[in-house]
């Protein structure tokens, strides 16, 4: 029994222990269930957190990427910023430099402002001074013009009283083919008050020869300037004077250039075309005052002591060797000169005369010498007769303008002529030496003046003999090889200049009988 009790006690113990164990098992089950619930919750939590972690990871990745981008951008911006900083510092330097320059310029401006003011003040002073000088200059110029006018008037009066032949000397420029002298200049032109424009000095073999004329034209003087000096003289032909202008000088010294000019170069036209233009212009300008003019032209040449009519339409017979017309010069009892059979043409304009001059130039005898291939070997005489009437004042004037281009004056040895050319040179020399004989006989007031010794002097008798206004151009070549000829020409001209030949007289109110040079 004891065993049973013991077994029962043991059974009870075991049941209690089983119950205990069941209870523990239940507790443990509920704990497991609770733990399972907790685990489930933890799992959910873990999943949520995982997903949160994934999201955060993705965000992080994005952030990382953006950070990288930002880093690149930052680098580039940093570079740009550095660049800009560099530029800005450069600009700053420039600005500084400009500011410095500005400051200097401002300083200078201030200084120049001061000096402008000073200059302006000085300028006003100077302006006043210049105005005063200008006024005095105008005054002096006026006095000078008045003085010159008076001088010319007195000069004219003296010349009229003395009855001189006036002499103008013209030296031409050296031509291209002439030697530019190595021995120094042959001619010089003193510039002192008294001598200026009137004196020419020639140096030969160390000796100086001085000559004074009414005017000396240096090589640079233009045709226009020469004409200005004779225009008054030309004008006096319209006022009723007999005017005679002739050119004297050796071959090639510029006689034809002075009288006719260079063909085809209007600005270089000579005294003859310029004189005619002036005469026809004055004729027009005097019309409103009632003046009417008639003009006639004749042109002749004296070649080998024979007269040729340069306007005759019938010159062939004499050129063929058969004798042509015998033109004879006659002075009638009342002093008029007549050349028989000479063609006289009425002219109305300078153009008409230019045409006739051109025709005459073609008809002239032209020969060749060693000195000038186109040398004119004859004396050329152009005559314009002027007859003017003013019906409103009942005045009449009768003037004559003679323009003469003489043949070359060189000596025989110089011209190198032979045969026909020698005959020409001898004839030219004869007539030119007759011209000097006449002039010197007049100068010495000899009873007999050998006008008849040559055709030239006989034709020009009225001009040379007294009552005309006569001007001689002595043309000079500057070529050193012509120095002896130049000296001869200057000596001749200066003796001519000293001659007293008479007093020019005006031919007015139809006193034609007074005229001694008129080919009517
Ligand atoms: N003042 C000048 N200015 C420029 N050239 C000039 C001048 N004078 C003359 N001449 C030139 O000199 C050369 C000779 O001149 P020109 O024919 O007029 O001489 P000339 O004395 O008439 O000779 P000739 O006795 O042979 O007729 C020409 O070629 C001419 O154009």
């Amino acid at each position: 029994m004891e065993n049973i009790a013991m077994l029962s006690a043991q059974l009870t113990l075991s049941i209690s222990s089983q119950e205990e164990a069941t209870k523990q098992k239940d507790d443990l089950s509920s704990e497991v269930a609770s733990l399972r619930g907790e685990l489930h919750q933890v799992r959910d939590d873990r999943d949520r957190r995982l997903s949160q972690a994934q999201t955060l990871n993705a965000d992080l990745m994005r952030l990382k990427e953006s950070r990288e981008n930002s880093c690149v951008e930052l680098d580039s911006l940093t570079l740009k910023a550095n660049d800009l900083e560099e530029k800005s510092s450069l600009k700053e330097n420039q600005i500084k430099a400009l500011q410095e320059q500005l400051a200097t310029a401002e300083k200078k401006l201030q200084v120049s402002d001061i000096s402008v003011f000073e200059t302006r003040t000085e300028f006003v002073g100077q302006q006043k001074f210049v105005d005063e000088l200008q006024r005095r200059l105008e005054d002096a110029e006026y006095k000078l013009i008045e003085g010159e006018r008076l001088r010319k008037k007195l000069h004219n009066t003296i010349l009229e009283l003395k009855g001189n032949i006036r002499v103008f000397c013209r030296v031409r420029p050296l031509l291209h083919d002439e030697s530019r002298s190595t021995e120094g200049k042959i001619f010089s032109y003193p510039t002192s008050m008294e001598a200026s424009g009137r004196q020419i000095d020639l140096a030969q073999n160390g000796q100086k020869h001085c000559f004074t004329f009414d005017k000396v034209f240096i090589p640079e003087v233009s045709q226009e300037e020469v004409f200005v000096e004779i225009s008054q003289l030309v004008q006096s032909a319209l006022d009723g004077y007999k005017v005679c202008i002739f050119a004297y000088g050796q071959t090639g010294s510029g006689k034809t250039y002075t009288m006719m000019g260079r063909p085809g170069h209007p600005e270089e036209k000579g005294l003859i075309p310029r004189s005619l233009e002036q005469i026809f212009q004055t004729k027009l300008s005097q019309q409103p005052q009632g003046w009417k003019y008639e003009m006639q032209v004749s042109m002749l040449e004296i070649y080998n002591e024979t007269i040729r009519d340069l306007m005759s339409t019938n010159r062939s017979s004499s050129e063929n060797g058969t004798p042509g017309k015998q033109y004879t010069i006659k002075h009638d009892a009342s002093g008029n000169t007549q050349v028989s059979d000479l063609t006289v043409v009425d002219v109305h304009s300078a153009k008409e005369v230019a045409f006739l001059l051109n025709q005459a130039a073609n008809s002239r005898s032209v020969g060749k010498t060693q000195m000038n291939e186109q040398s004119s070997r004859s004396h050329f005489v152009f005559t314009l007769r002027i007859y003017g009437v003013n019906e409103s004042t009942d005045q009449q004037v009768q003037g004559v303008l003679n323009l003469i281009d003489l043949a070359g004056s060189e000596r025989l040895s110089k011209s190198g002529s032979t045969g026909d050319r020698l005959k020409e040179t001898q004839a030219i020399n004869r007539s030119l030496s007759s011209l000097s004989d006449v002039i010197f006989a007049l100068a010495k007031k000899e009873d007999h003046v050998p006008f008849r010794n040559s055709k030239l002097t006989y034709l020009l008798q009225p001009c040379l003999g007294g009552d005309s206004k006569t001007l001689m151009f002595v043309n000079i070549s500057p070529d050193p090889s012509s120095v002896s000829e130049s000296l001869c020409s200057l000596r001749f001209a200066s003796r001519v200049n000293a001659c007293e030949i008479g007093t020019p007289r005006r031919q007015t109110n139809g006193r034609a009988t007074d005229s001694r040079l008129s080919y009517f």
Side-chain angles (χ1 to χ4, degrees):
M1 252 313 258
E2 228 191 85
N3 279 346
I4 293 173
M6 227 187 61
L7 282 173
S8 175
Q10 273 182 340
L11 184 60
T12 320
L13 201 63
S14 249
I15 289 168
S16 147
S17 155
Q18 192 189 356
E19 279 175 358
E20 181 93 9
T22 305
K23 196 180 162 219
Q24 268 186 346
K25 185 195 129 200
D26 286 344
D27 281 348
L28 280 171
S29 285
S30 84
E31 199 175 333
V32 165
S34 155
L35 281 171
R36 251 191 205 131
E38 257 179 59
L39 180 67
H40 191 70
Q41 215 172 355
V42 165
R43 260 190 198 138
D44 279 355
D45 207 22
R46 186 205 66 185
D47 287 347
R48 209 177 54 249
R49 289 207 185 242
L50 209 64
S51 113
Q52 264 180 357
Q54 274 171 350
T55 313
L56 284 172
N57 224 11
D59 280 353
L60 184 67
M61 289 301 284
R62 259 201 321 278
L63 281 173
K64 258 187 192 164
E65 209 172 289
S66 119
R67 195 200 62 158
E68 268 164 22
N69 284 344
S70 297
C71 273
V72 171
E73 216 170 301
L74 185 67
D75 284 351
S76 131
L77 284 173
T78 311
L79 276 178
K80 274 186 192 164
N82 288 344
D83 198 36
L84 283 173
E85 249 168 36
E86 221 169 86
K87 277 185 186 162
S88 130
S89 87
L90 210 72
K91 291 279 168 208
E92 245 168 44
N93 284 345
Q94 279 178 354
I95 287 169
K96 259 186 204 163
L98 284 173
Q99 270 169 345
E100 271 164 26
Q101 279 176 11
L102 185 68
T104 320
E106 267 171 0
K107 257 185 208 161
K108 275 187 191 165
L109 190 68
Q110 274 174 357
V111 173
S112 64
D113 268 354
I114 295 166
S115 87
V116 161
F117 179 74
E118 283 169 2
T119 314
R120 205 167 274 163
T121 320
E122 204 179 316
F123 175 74
V124 173
Q126 294 283 355
Q127 185 77 44
K128 269 187 199 156
F129 186 57
V130 168
D131 286 348
E132 173 61 17
L133 284 178
Q134 191 88 26
R135 200 191 53 72
R136 278 158 66 179
L137 184 71
E138 273 165 21
D139 218 31
E141 267 173 0
Y142 177 75
K143 280 184 189 152
L144 193 72
I145 292 167
E146 281 300 299
E148 181 63 13
R149 207 171 285 159
L150 190 65
R151 189 197 66 75
K152 273 193 182 154
K153 209 172 149 195
L154 289 173
H155 182 66
N156 264 337
T157 314
I158 291 167
L159 284 181
E160 281 187 8
L161 289 174
K162 278 171 74 183
N164 268 9
I165 295 184
R166 283 202 264 168
V167 178
F168 285 1
C169 170
R170 185 179 197 188
V171 183
R172 72 154 165 78
L174 268 177
L175 303 179
H176 295 303
D177 53 349
E178 287 173 340
S179 71
R180 317 257 137 194
S181 171
T182 47
E183 309 144 26
K185 287 214 165 140
I186 295 172
F187 294 108
S188 53
Y189 311 93
T191 51
S192 66
M193 264 290 268
E194 273 180 20
S196 176
R198 298 190 58 218
Q199 195 177 318
I200 175 169
D201 295 348
L202 181 150
Q204 189 192 29
N205 303 328
Q207 214 185 333
K208 195 161 102 173
H209 306 269
C210 306
F211 299 94
T212 305
F213 299 108
D214 293 286
K215 202 97 205 160
V216 172
F217 297 111
I218 60 171
E220 293 75 23
V221 173
S222 69
Q223 297 280 64
E224 166 75 31
E225 287 165 311
V226 172
F227 179 69
V228 165
E229 293 298 327
I230 66 138
S231 66
Q232 283 296 325
L233 192 61
V234 170
Q235 190 65 29
S236 42
L238 274 171
D239 298 339
Y241 284 96
K242 291 191 287 287
V243 175
C244 179
I245 301 175
F246 58 94
Y248 176 93
Q250 72 169 117
T251 294
S253 56
K255 300 181 295 294
T256 309
Y257 183 86
T258 298
M259 299 308 279
M260 292 298 296
R262 194 193 297 273
H265 294 80
E267 74 287 358
E268 285 183 77
K269 62 189 169 217
L271 300 186
I272 298 181
R274 283 175 199 270
S275 301
L276 294 164
E277 277 166 20
Q278 177 177 305
I279 282 177
F280 281 102
Q281 261 169 22
T282 314
K283 175 187 164 184
L284 275 182
S285 67
Q286 288 192 349
Q287 263 175 8
Q289 285 108 54
W291 280 103
K292 280 188 188 142
Y293 290 98
E294 279 173 21
M295 316 226 180
Q296 291 177 319
V297 160
S298 62
M299 282 185 253
L300 62 87
E301 68 175 350
I302 305 171
Y303 175 74
N304 280 353
E305 277 303 291
T306 312
I307 288 180
R308 285 179 173 179
D309 181 356
L310 291 173
M311 290 205 299
S312 164
T313 46
N314 182 24
R315 297 187 63 220
S316 52
S317 57
S318 60
E319 268 138 30
N320 290 338
T322 48
K325 283 181 188 168
Q326 287 301 312
Y327 300 98
T328 47
I329 306 163
K330 277 186 194 144
H331 305 298
D332 65 22
S334 43
N336 293 320
T337 303
Q338 217 175 21
V339 178
S340 61
D341 287 330
L342 193 69
T343 311
V344 176
V345 176
D346 288 317
V347 285
H348 308 94
S349 70
K351 259 193 182 164
E352 257 179 76
V353 187
F355 176 76
L356 295 173
L357 275 170
N358 199 32
Q359 265 189 337
N362 292 335
S363 313
R364 283 191 73 186
S365 300
V366 172
K368 285 185 180 176
T369 71
Q370 284 175 4
M371 300 197 64
N372 183 350
E373 281 208 324
Q374 292 213 326
S375 108
S376 313
R377 313 302 300 146
S378 59
H379 307 302
F380 167 69
V381 182
F382 169 93
T383 306
L384 179 74
R385 288 168 294 177
I386 302 167
Y387 180 70
V389 190
N390 191 329
E391 278 165 7
S392 51
T393 59
D394 210 20
Q395 279 175 293
Q396 288 180 12
V397 290
Q398 211 173 308
V400 182
L401 178 65
N402 278 295
L403 300 165
I404 301 157
D405 183 1
L406 295 175
S409 64
E410 64 278 358
R411 289 162 295 178
L412 290 183
S413 58
K414 179 90 180 173
S415 73
S417 308
T418 54
D420 276 357
R421 296 286 96 89
L422 177 68
K423 218 172 110 196
E424 279 178 357
T425 313
Q426 283 169 335
I428 293 162
N429 282 353
R430 219 173 15 255
S431 62
L432 290 175
S433 81
S434 302
L435 181 64
S436 36
D437 291 346
V438 163
I439 287 168
F440 301 138
L442 286 167
K444 286 187 213 149
K445 301 205 182 335
E446 285 176 1
D447 291 339
H448 175 68
V449 181
F451 285 114
R452 279 178 176 272
N453 279 2
S454 77
K455 289 272 190 320
L456 179 71
T457 46
Y458 194 43
L459 182 74
L460 296 184
Q461 181 174 350
C463 279
L464 302 168
D467 62 355
S468 77
K469 288 189 174 189
T470 303
L471 169 69
M472 179 175 109
F473 270 93
V474 57
N475 287 94
I476 300 291
S477 157
D479 190 356
S481 65
S482 296
V483 66
S484 305
E485 289 296 335
S486 300
L487 188 57
C488 282
S489 295
L490 288 169
R491 278 187 175 140
F492 172 70
S494 94
R495 288 173 75 185
V496 171
N497 205 21
C499 282
E500 289 178 28
I501 57 162
T503 306
R505 249 178 289 149
R506 201 172 165 215
Q507 210 173 306
T508 54
N509 283 332
R511 279 164 47 215
T513 45
D514 280 359
S515 170
R516 290 166 66 195
L517 177 62
S518 165
Y519 303 149
F520 284 100

